[in-house]
Amino acid sequence: AQSVTQPDIHITVSEGASLELRCNYSYGATPYLFWYVQSPGQGLQLLLKYFSGDTLVQGIKGFEAEFKRSQSSFNLRKPSVHWSDAAEYFCAVGYSGGGADGLTFGKGTHLIIQP
Amino acid sequence: DVKVTQSSRYLVKRTGEKVFLECVQDMDHENMFWYRQDPGLGLRLIYFSYDVKMKEKGDIPEGYSVSREKKERFSLILESASTNQTSMYLCASSLLGTGDGYTFGSGTRLTVV
């Protein structure tokens, strides 16, 4: 079965500093990979996704992620964070089968921005 | 833009009440999902549906049921609400076979007192 691990429950970054959020997955085939962001009290918004092709994927709000098959990782990065980036971030791996598509989510990383 | 609309943002119900959470999507998606989200536990799948009148149990279906009479609407039912069902409930939809990811609603914060 597929699984997703986000090793960091909380991360604190200073405003203007760079950010990397880690995500490792376990999946038997080529995965579909996603990053979502959740602002307080809101639903989840898709930041970016990887299906195939270029392993460096650009998303919204200045985020990017790199797929590394050898490391089973899909880490999210941003060169310079803004206070508005404070949120919960979820990595997910997609699968297909059994009559329905589905996503398996990591438990999330809570990003705190220091002024 | 695809929209997934959850009928209530905040809901307070009493223990033992029957509770209905409604979710409507407007992009003809086959798949619809109900999750609950709790601190430290992430998102846990309650039920999903890939077609009208079809439903599948997720990881934590106990105490819940669902209804999908129309393609655009997926309802979550708490047959007899309990305090341990106090949570954030998230509905999502997706297009079958595209691997395109989910579109989420804004969530319903349910408090059972």
Side-chain angles (χ1 to χ4, degrees):
Chain A
Q2 60 283 338
S3 66
V4 178
T5 302
Q6 294 180 245
D8 304 304
I9 298 173
H10 300 280
I11 281 192
T12 300
V13 177
S14 297
E15 190 169 14
S18 64
L19 170 71
E20 183 169 30
L21 301 183
R22 296 183 291 164
C23 172
N24 293 97
Y25 68 90
S26 171
Y27 188 62
T30 300
Y32 299 159
L33 293 161
F34 304 83
W35 275 100
Y36 284 85
V37 61
Q38 184 183 32
S39 298
Q42 300 294 317
L44 277 68
Q45 180 185 20
L46 181 66
L47 280 177
L48 47 77
K49 57 190 176 187
Y50 170 79
F51 289 169
S52 63
D54 192 348
T55 57
L56 186 62
V57 180
Q58 302 298 320
I60 63 171
K61 305 185 184 211
F63 285 92
E64 65 179 28
E66 186 171 13
F67 171 58
K68 293 186 177 179
R69 184 186 300 276
S70 62
Q71 298 176 19
S72 296
S73 69
F74 188 56
N75 293 350
L76 182 71
R77 302 194 294 245
K78 187 170 185 178
S80 175
V81 298
H82 186 262
W83 64 266
S84 60
D85 293 324
E88 192 86 15
Y89 291 81
F90 292 92
C91 181
V93 60
Y95 60 92
S96 187
D101 302 331
L103 291 182
T104 297
F105 289 87
K107 286 189 165 33
T109 297
H110 184 56
L111 177 62
I112 300 164
I113 306 296
Q114 279 184 338
Chain B
D1 275 357
V2 177
K3 273 220 163 49
V4 177
T5 303
Q6 295 183 232
S7 53
S8 304
R9 290 297 307 275
Y10 300 94
L11 215 49
V12 180
K13 296 291 181 181
R14 295 194 179 279
T15 302
E17 275 193 79
K18 190 169 186 175
V19 181
F20 293 85
L21 303 184
E22 305 288 346
C23 176
V24 177
Q25 51 94 3
D26 66 359
M27 282 301 288
D28 207 33
H29 282 179
E30 292 89 355
N31 296 332
M32 295 189 76
F33 307 84
W34 276 106
Y35 286 86
R36 64 176 284 176
Q37 183 180 18
D38 301 286
L41 298 178
L43 277 73
R44 293 181 291 168
L45 181 63
I46 304 171
Y47 268 96
F48 66 97
S49 168
Y50 53 88
D51 201 354
V52 175
K53 297 192 186 296
M54 304 301 289
K55 59 186 179 185
E56 296 283 346
K57 293 180 180 179
D59 300 318
I60 51 162
E62 296 79 19
Y64 303 95
S65 62
V66 290
S67 172
R68 192 159 181 206
E69 296 296 318
K70 294 185 178 181
K71 191 174 185 179
E72 68 270 20
R73 185 179 297 271
F74 192 36
S75 302
L76 180 69
I77 304 154
L78 286 65
E79 298 290 343
S80 177
S82 64
T83 55
N84 63 13
Q85 292 178 309
T86 292
S87 186
M88 170 71 102
Y89 289 87
L90 293 167
C91 176
S93 72
S94 71
L95 199 56
L96 183 65
T98 65
D100 214 24
Y102 296 177
T103 300
F104 281 87
S106 297
T108 296
R109 172 74 64 184
L110 173 68
T111 302
V112 183
V113 298

